[in-house]
Amino acid sequence: MTENMTKRVFNNQLVTGSAALLLCFVASVFLWPLWSSVAQAFFSALASKGLAAAGPDLGGKLVGAMVEGSFFWMVINTWIWLTLIMGNYGKTRFAKKQPMAGISYLLTAWILGIFAFLLLIGFIGIWWKPFNLTIMLTPVTAGDVALSLEGWEASNFFALAAILAQIPFVSLLQKWPFAGTSKQPTESLGVLAFSTVVTYIVWLALIVPSFLHLSIGGEPITSKPFGSWPAFVAFCQAFVLFSIMPAEGAEQYPMKLFAKKQPYVGLVGFLIALAAGFGLPPIIKSFVEPLQLVSGVPVYVVVASLELSVIVFMLAWHHLFDDYPSEKIITNTAIRILTR
């Protein structure tokens, strides 16, 4: 059995985290424009006939949704699947040392994201025109472009459904009921398969009605959750914040205060996150709305952005700063968690 060793350049957690954060920021500044430029050129060539027929406004929206979708499916979804659920299983299969191990695993993630998109969205696209892969990837008419845009916008936020449904299987349920039942990767594959089914249901129930304008005899047959997309996203961000908090530095609190074993720990954590999803956005809104931080923008956009900022930094503190301060620095659990 091969044992992988990680060597730190700096001994101090804060210095290591700051260096990693700076490196991530600099990489993002260069990589995101590169990613968007390459994806834009690729999709513009692929959908050239439809874009020419639709005009610059509608065509620009479609290309933007395509570029966004490529990132969501190839990066966000695969991070959840390979890192959070699979625990980076097989990362050193093609290369033992960094950075080649990471680069090879990144390429594996991209391939998985493309395959998952073709499989999960393409299956529904057999019967749903907006998700038909021919219409989504190679629209010909202006009508095709309009359908393709709705399909891309709805399929892009499969990532949001994955965050809502799949992350709690790891952070709250701790991979129950599969944990400890078999050797890796079988255990994680069970979690991945089961949570993907749940994600599929959440996506169809909450995300699709937010984007697809469905009607029968002129009568709308769907309604947007929470009345608007920004309000729904604000709920989602608050839910995600409290569903990842136990695993991202809170050492399984606050749910450990109420339960000790699974699935009760996970169920309590889910109820806490659900309560936060309903209760936190109105509270934040009451503070943010009078400030009028951004004119002409729905206030729940500001609320959701603030919540997302907290989520991003919580993830950074956990993964880059190793949940500083450690138990060696602060022995009292409550003070340690609150400090983080």
Side-chain angles (χ1 to χ4, degrees), residues 101-314:
I103 293 173
S104 62
Y105 207 61
L106 181 64
L107 295 175
T108 302
W110 289 356
I111 294 171
L112 173 63
I114 295 171
F115 175 76
F117 171 80
L118 296 176
L119 177 64
L120 297 176
I121 301 303
F123 174 71
I124 293 183
I126 297 173
W127 304 278
W128 291 59
K129 284 188 177 181
F131 301 117
N132 183 278
L133 293 179
T134 300
I135 292 176
M136 290 186 73
L137 297 172
T138 57
V140 176
T141 66
D144 288 346
V145 171
L147 283 174
S148 179
L149 177 59
E150 291 206 8
W152 273 102
E153 286 182 333
S155 63
N156 287 354
F157 286 97
F158 188 91
L160 181 56
I163 293 170
L164 289 172
Q166 292 190 284
I167 289 180
F169 273 88
V170 179
S171 61
L172 300 181
L173 285 167
Q174 300 169 316
K175 298 189 177 183
W176 182 90
F178 301 94
T181 58
S182 57
K183 295 182 179 179
Q184 293 293 2
T186 306
E187 175 185 300
S188 294
L189 286 173
V191 178
L192 179 62
F194 184 43
S195 63
T196 300
V197 172
V198 177
T199 300
Y200 224 47
I201 296 171
V202 171
W203 178 67
L204 286 170
L206 297 175
I207 307 299
V208 171
S210 298
F211 290 97
L212 264 60
H213 306 289
L214 305 176
S215 62
I216 295 178
E219 183 69 24
I221 60 173
T222 60
S223 58
K224 294 182 179 181
F226 292 82
S228 69
W229 177 247
F232 173 61
V233 173
F235 161 82
C236 294
Q237 303 289 22
F239 175 87
V240 170
L241 173 60
F242 276 81
S243 67
I244 68 171
M245 187 182 297
E248 303 292 325
E251 301 179 19
Q252 299 305 313
Y253 286 96
M255 56 191 189
K256 273 178 67 174
L257 295 171
F258 306 98
K260 302 298 182 184
K261 294 182 179 181
Q262 294 292 1
Y264 307 109
V265 173
L267 292 175
V268 169
F270 175 79
L271 291 176
I272 293 173
L274 196 62
F278 283 104
L280 190 60
I283 294 174
I284 297 177
K285 179 186 175 184
S286 67
F287 289 99
V288 170
E289 193 168 27
L291 300 177
Q292 297 181 340
L293 298 174
V294 185
S295 60
V297 174
V299 66
Y300 276 118
V301 172
V302 181
V303 172
S305 298
L306 177 59
E307 293 168 338
L308 180 60
S309 299
V310 178
I311 292 170
V312 170
F313 203 80
M314 182 182 289

Side-chain angles (χ1 to χ4, degrees), residues 46-75:
L46 199 63
S48 58
K49 290 184 179 180
L51 296 177
D57 291 339
L58 183 59
K61 290 180 181 179
L62 176 59
V63 172
M66 287 175 157
V67 173
E68 185 181 64
S70 68
F71 185 81
F72 280 3
W73 279 93
M74 296 172 68
V75 178

